[in-house]
Amino acid sequence: MDVIVLVGRILFVLLFLSSAFGHFTKTEGMAGYAESKGVPSPKLATQASGAVQLVAALMVLLGVWADLGALLLVLFLLPTAFLMHPFWKERDPQARQGEMVQFSKDVSLAGAALMFFGLYAGAGSELGLTVTGPLF
């Protein structure tokens, strides 16, 4: 079971590691998008959200307080879904569909991160292949 959970952790965090990399290497473009969505201090917000994704993903991947890492991802994903992808505001059908997909992805990933949180907070150090036990 430990190996299955490790493989799941690896697959789960790939998206966040890739996204964090983009937040740091394409900051200007992403900050422009954030600005168009009304995010205050878009460049700082882009870099900060990249840092949260990177730290949280590494925590889950390495099993260093993986429960906290998963909770950080939930706290990142839910506001992102509602602030960055409000599909209900779009009038253009194609833009609306694109935003709906992104919104649904973020909400679904938040659900998966919440399950990871529960798994680690509940099972504790019973799940092997981690550096530390859970924080909660």
Side-chain angles (χ1 to χ4, degrees):
M1 186 59 72
D2 292 343
V3 173
I4 292 171
V5 173
L6 175 62
V7 170
R9 289 188 345 236
I10 292 167
L11 294 174
F12 179 67
V13 302
L14 287 176
L15 177 74
F16 300 106
L17 294 173
S18 173
S19 180
F21 181 75
H23 278 67
F24 295 126
T25 60
K26 299 174 183 168
T27 303
E28 294 302 322
M30 295 184 113
Y33 180 68
E35 185 176 31
S36 77
K37 296 293 185 172
V39 173
S41 303
K43 186 172 182 179
L44 178 62
T46 298
Q47 293 169 331
S49 62
V52 168
Q53 288 181 84
L54 179 62
V55 169
L58 288 174
M59 291 174 81
V60 171
L61 175 66
L62 300 173
V64 177
W65 291 341
D67 56 337
L68 177 60
L71 189 58
L72 288 172
L73 289 173
V74 172
L75 296 175
F76 161 74
L77 286 161
L78 289 179
T80 298
F82 286 93
L83 292 172
M84 299 300 293
H85 307 296
F87 65 90
W88 53 90
K89 293 181 179 179
E90 292 293 337
R91 298 291 173 237
D92 176 63
Q94 189 172 5
R96 183 182 189 96
Q97 183 65 34
E99 291 295 348
M100 187 183 302
V101 166
Q102 294 302 318
F103 177 88
S104 298
K105 174 194 59 102
D106 285 352
V107 171
S108 295
L109 286 168
L114 194 59
M115 284 191 291
F116 265 112
F117 172 76
L119 179 67
Y120 280 99
S125 55
E126 296 291 319
L127 287 174
L129 304 176
T130 60
V131 175
T132 69
L135 182 63
F136 298 101

